[in-house]
Amino acid sequence: MDIFVKPPRQSAPELTMDNEVIDDADDFEVASTGLEPFSLQLDDIYQGERLDKVLATLLPQFSRARLQQWIEEGWVLVDGKPAKIRTTVLGGENISVEPQAADHDQAFVAEPLDLRIVHEDDALIIVNKPAGLVVHPAAGNWSGTLLNGLLHHSPQLMGVPRAGIVHRLDKDTSGLLVIAKTLKAQTDLVRQLQQRTVSRQYLALVWGQPVSSGRIEAAIGRHPRERTRMAISKSPQAKLAITHYQKVVSGQLDGRTVTLLRCQLETGRTHQIRVHLQSLGFPIVGDAVYGKAHLVSVFPRQALHAERLGLVHPISGTHTEWHAALPADMADLLQQAGMAV
């Protein structure tokens, strides 16, 4: 039986996602044992206690909530019969527990995915991520992520924290990402991100017509009421965020003015471009979270694409840049709006 073991911690700088420091301790629950069945005979000392509490004591590698779930689903038998969570132990019972894999046990499992690799060498992989692909495993998306595909493509990434991922794109944002293939390359890239020397340029189609160019400097933090959203914030926990934008061309979509902007990140906070542009009154077309609800149906995702990525190569020391053309869905959208790009 294959046993999943979380990769060991390594000496590395603090990793960032969109330049936000992530606590490595919050990664994933460690699957510290395999999924072989357990057979237990309860001692009399447990008499009078609840079954789920007793199992949590005898099988500490599993959370009590997880054990309760297995009891409810019939994977725990007492003397050959399905157990109940509130069963009171008498002592001497024979308990059979058949552990079931949790979704997050698959987080670091290699899976074959059709990765759109723009460039690869001994230090880096540059990926053109399609819209709809989640970058990193999290609740609701423990498998089928870019991380899973990277581990299949390059098994050595199992030995690099977060499989070499140092920054991310939202699920429904397309475009370029850099992956470090070695710990040394990852260390170098993290420092470049922290020093703001990595160049990241995006194309965003927004509702309305902003002035020709501008600079947005506004701190971003968690929305005070909706924790899955970000917002402009004056909270002490909010982080400095700076976005530069320049008008490319305007057009008409669904009878309304839309404008294509080229955005340059100076920082890289979660949802930064989406939040900053929405704060000016120019939400991104198709953005179901920060956009206008009655206009979301025009496009099935936020019309945001990471078109250009530049950095200093960790081995050669030379500045290198990559470009990813607009995906077909955004190109078609611009054509509908009468834009020639």
Side-chain angles (χ1 to χ4, degrees), residues 64-129:
R64 188 169 178 179
R66 202 166 174 185
L67 290 164
Q68 289 175 339
Q69 180 181 353
W70 293 341
I71 294 172
E72 289 179 343
E73 294 175 353
W75 300 110
V76 178
L77 304 180
V78 177
D79 291 331
K81 298 180 180 179
K84 295 182 179 180
I85 291 175
R86 296 183 181 276
T87 295
T88 299
V89 170
L90 301 176
E93 294 96 332
N94 291 307
I95 308 295
S96 171
V97 180
E98 190 170 341
Q100 301 299 302
D103 290 340
H104 53 249
D105 289 342
Q106 305 302 313
F108 274 89
V109 172
E111 298 178 34
L113 293 180
D114 182 19
L115 300 180
R116 301 175 184 178
I117 295 176
V118 175
H119 169 85
E120 182 173 7
D121 57 38
D122 291 341
L124 304 175
I125 300 175
I126 307 297
V127 174
N128 183 8
K129 186 190 84 68

Side-chain angles (χ1 to χ4, degrees), residues 252-287:
Q252 292 286 314
L253 191 64
D254 198 33
R256 297 175 173 84
T257 299
V258 290
T259 302
L260 184 66
L261 300 179
R262 182 164 277 117
C263 300
Q264 185 82 29
L265 290 181
E266 189 170 323
T267 59
R269 308 307 179 197
T270 301
H271 300 176
Q272 178 175 318
I273 293 175
R274 299 164 66 189
V275 171
H276 271 175
L277 293 178
Q278 187 271 341
S279 74
L280 295 184
F282 304 110
I284 295 176
V285 172
D287 193 335

